Amino acid sequence: MAEYDVVIIGAGPGGYVAAIRAAQLGFTVACVEKEPTLGGTCVRVGCIPSKALLESSERYLEAREHLAAHGVKVEGVSLDLAAMQQRKDAVVKSNTDGVAYLLKKNKIERVVGTGRLVKAGEVAVEGEGEPRTLTAKHVVLATGSRVAPLKGVELDGDRVGSSTEALAWSEVPKHLVVVGAGVIGLELGSVWRRLGADVTVLEYLDRILPGMDEEIAKEARKLFTKQGMTLRTGVAVTGATVKGKKVTVHVDGGDDVVADRVLVATGRLPNTEGLGLEDAGVQVDARGRVVVDERFETNVPGVYAIGDLIHGPMLAHKAEEDGVALAELLATGHGHVDYGLVPNVVYTDPEIASVGRTEEELKAQGVPYRKGVFAFQANGRARAMGRTEGKVKVLAHEATDRVLGVHVIGARAGDLIAEAVAAMAFHASSEDLARVVHAHPTLSEVLKEAALAVDGRALHS
Ligand code: FAD
Ligand code: NAD
C-alpha cells in the first residue's frame, strides 16, 4: 500500500498548486521541497521580488521626475535602497508564509529535503534528519528551472550575477551590463536604470524580446532607449574578466565593455540534475526538458512532470495551470491547458503583454489575417493619466474574423491582456470584442478601438 496518493517534488507554482488541487479533490498529498521556504523560484527569487522592486523603483522615478507634471511638488527625493530591499524581502516573506499556510490548511504534508525519483511510486528524500523514502500512487516532478550558464562567463555571485543576485544588490551600480535583452534583462535592467545606474544591454540577436511581436518589440526598444537604456543588438558576449571591482565584458562583434556589475540573463534550464531520471528511465528531450504526453505523464507510468521542467512557456501561471490540470486528470480523467492561450507579460514601464500568435507567426504559417492597431495617444484616460505611449494590436482571421493574437505595449498592459485572453478562450471575433461595451474613460477602450480598427472603423482616430 502506498503511503500517499500523490507525492510532488518541488513547491513552486507548479508543485504547490498541484498539491492544493489534488488535496481539494480528496487525495492524500506530500510535497517535498529542498529550500526552507515555499513558493519556488517565482515567490523566492523571481516574479514576486522582481515585481516588488519594479513597483518601488517606479515610484521613486515618479516622485523624482513625473509628479511635477501633475502639479505635485516634491523636494529632496532620495533613495533608501536598504529600505526598498527590506520591503521586497517582507513582500516575499508574506508570500512564502502564505504558501505554507495553504499547504497546512489543505492538510498537505510538507517534507523538507531534496527529493529523488527512485522508480515509479518511490521518492527518496535527503534532508536534515534521517533519509526517508516516500511511496505514492502518483509521483509529480515539479522541480522548475535554474539559470542557464553562459560559456566564458563565470557567475561569481558578486560582480557577475544572475537575477537572484541582481534582486539583492545593496548599492546601485554605476554601470550595469545586462547580457540578454529578454524578459529578465529588461525588467531588472529597468529597476537599476530607474535607481540611477547606467545600463547597457547586450543582445545576441538583432532585436530585443525574441518571441514577442516584432512591431511591439520595436516600439519597446524606442521607449527603453528614451528612458536612457543603451540597447546593443547583434552582439554575442563571449567572456567576462573580473579585476577588483570592475568587470570587462568581452563581446564578439563589437568593443569590450567595462562595468561595475554584470547581470547574466540569457535564459533558464530545467532542473533535472540529481533527480534520478536516468536511473528511473525517464526520458528528456534535446533541451533537457522532461518529455510528457498530453496527460503530463512521462514514459514511466505513474510519473508525471509539470511547469518549467517540461515544454511550453516558462511562466508561473502556466506552471500553475499544469498543476491544476494534472490533479484533475488524476482524479477525473479530464484536464487540459491550452498553451496557445498563455498570456505573456513583461513588467517594464510601459508594460508589454501578448496572447496568441504574433504577426510574424501568422505570416510564416500562411494564415490570412487582418490587423487593427490603436494608439494610447488617442485615449482620454491615457491622456488624463499622462500615459499616452504605446499601442494595442489585434490580429484576426481574414475570413472568419476570429481573434488570433493580441499584443499590447502601454500602461497596465498586463491587466488589459486578460480581456483578450478571455475573448480568445471563447473563440471571439474582433467584431465581438468591438461590440462589447467598455467603460469610459478606461484604458480598455484602446483594445475596443483596436478591434474596431480590424474592420477599418475605429471611432477616435
Ligand atoms: P520553480 O518555481 O522553479 O519551483 C521548483 C521548486 O522545486 C523550487 O522551489 C526548488 O527549490 C524545488 N526543487 C528543485 N529540485 C528539487 C529536489 N530535487 N527536491 C526538492 N525540491 C526541489 N513568471 C511569470 O509568470 N511572471 C513573472 O513575472 C516572472 N518573473 C520572473 C522573474 C525572475 C527573475 C525569474 C528567474 C523568473 C520569473 N518568472 C516569472 C518565471 C517563473 O518564476 C517560473 O516560470 C516558475 O517559477 C516555474 O514554476 P515551477 O513550479 O515549474 O518551478
Ligand atoms: P529569455 O529567453 O527571455 O532571454 C534571453 C536573451 O538572451 C535572449 O534574447 C537571447 O537571445 C539572449 N542571449 C543568449 N545568449 C546570449 C549571448 N551570449 N550574448 C548576448 N545575448 C544572449 O531569458 P531570461 O530573460 O533569462 O528569462 C528566463 C525565463 O524566465 C523566460 O523564459 C521567461 O519566461 C521567464 N521570466 C518571465 C518573466 C515574466 O513573465 N514577466 C520575467 C522574468 C523571467
Side-chain angles (χ1 to χ4, degrees), residues 55-312:
E55 186 69 31
S56 298
S57 60
E58 210 172 308
R59 292 191 188 207
Y60 172 65
L61 196 70
E62 178 99 359
R64 273 181 73 108
E65 292 183 9
H66 304 308
L67 286 181
H70 291 265
V72 181
K73 275 193 178 172
V74 190
E75 275 157 26
V77 176
S78 64
L79 176 66
D80 183 347
L81 182 55
M84 200 178 275
Q85 291 288 16
Q86 272 164 22
R87 176 186 177 277
K88 175 212 71 185
D89 293 340
V91 170
V92 169
K93 185 169 183 322
S94 69
N95 281 274
T96 53
D97 287 354
V99 178
Y101 162 78
L102 290 173
L103 291 201
K104 206 165 166 191
K105 183 182 157 204
N106 286 284
K107 301 190 172 46
I108 296 157
E109 190 185 342
R110 174 183 170 182
V111 181
V112 184
T114 301
R116 181 175 51 83
L117 179 70
V118 181
K119 59 180 184 191
E122 211 174 298
V123 171
V125 183
E126 282 189 33
E128 279 170 5
E130 285 289 299
R132 252 181 99 175
T133 300
L134 310 174
T135 56
K137 275 188 226 155
H138 311 288
V139 175
V140 180
L141 310 175
T143 52
S145 63
R146 65 194 154 87
V147 178
L150 179 59
K151 206 171 152 223
V153 181
E154 193 197 331
L155 297 178
D156 68 358
D158 178 26
R159 295 290 124 188
V160 185
S162 69
S163 50
T164 302
E165 287 76 36
L167 285 166
W169 287 331
S170 56
E171 59 190 43
V172 180
K174 202 167 158 339
H175 185 201
L176 167 64
V177 162
V178 177
V179 188
V183 198
I184 293 180
L186 293 172
E187 286 187 356
L188 293 182
S190 292
V191 165
W192 293 106
R193 172 71 202 128
R194 291 171 196 165
L195 299 182
D198 286 329
V199 175
T200 304
V201 184
L202 303 173
E203 166 60 46
Y204 176 72
L205 299 174
D206 60 1
R207 56 164 293 178
I208 67 167
L209 291 169
M212 282 254 172
D213 188 275
E214 214 165 319
E215 183 179 344
I216 300 294
K218 273 190 185 143
E219 181 81 11
R221 183 171 186 162
K222 220 166 60 192
L223 292 169
F224 297 147
T225 304
K226 214 166 130 196
Q227 290 168 10
M229 236 188 235
T230 304
L231 294 160
R232 283 176 56 189
T233 49
V235 289
V237 168
T238 53
T241 314
V242 181
K243 205 169 180 190
K245 293 197 162 191
K246 296 278 178 196
V247 192
T248 303
V249 181
H250 309 295
V251 173
D252 190 11
D255 295 335
D256 287 355
V257 193
V258 179
D260 303 282
R261 289 205 193 260
V262 175
L263 160 60
V264 177
T266 52
R268 294 179 63 84
L269 292 178
N271 260 333
T272 51
E273 249 175 32
L275 196 54
L277 299 184
E278 217 169 299
D279 292 344
V282 174
Q283 215 179 328
V284 295
D285 68 15
R287 289 163 66 180
R289 301 174 300 192
V290 173
V291 178
V292 292
D293 62 14
E294 68 290 347
R295 299 170 51 81
F296 301 98
E297 196 163 21
T298 68
N299 60 311
V300 177
V303 178
Y304 302 83
I306 55 174
D308 278 11
L309 195 59
I310 65 168
H311 67 287

Side-chain angles (χ1 to χ4, degrees), residues 8-50:
I8 298 167
I9 309 182
Y16 87 74
V17 169
I20 292 173
R21 188 69 190 117
Q24 284 176 343
L25 289 163
F27 287 123
T28 53
V29 185
C31 189
V32 185
E33 170 57 56
K34 66 182 169 58
E35 297 291 335
T37 56
L38 303 168
T41 304
C42 174
V43 179
R44 285 186 292 104
V45 289
C47 327
I48 300 301
S50 59

Side-chain angles (χ1 to χ4, degrees), residues 213 215-216 359 362 369-376 390-398 401-409 430-431 433-434 445-458 461:
D213 188 275
E215 183 179 344
I216 300 294
E359 204 171 340
L362 293 178
Y369 65 91
R370 290 194 301 168
K371 150 175 158 178
V373 178
F374 196 81
F376 280 73
K391 57 172 118 172
V392 174
K393 168 164 152 178
V394 174
L395 301 166
H397 195 282
E398 189 173 44
D401 194 35
R402 183 170 168 176
V403 179
L404 302 173
V406 176
H407 307 278
V408 186
I409 178 165
S430 76
E431 180 78 18
L433 262 180
E445 289 169 291
V446 185
L447 179 59
K448 178 192 171 90
E449 291 275 10
L452 280 166
V454 171
D455 193 39
R457 53 191 172 93
S461 70

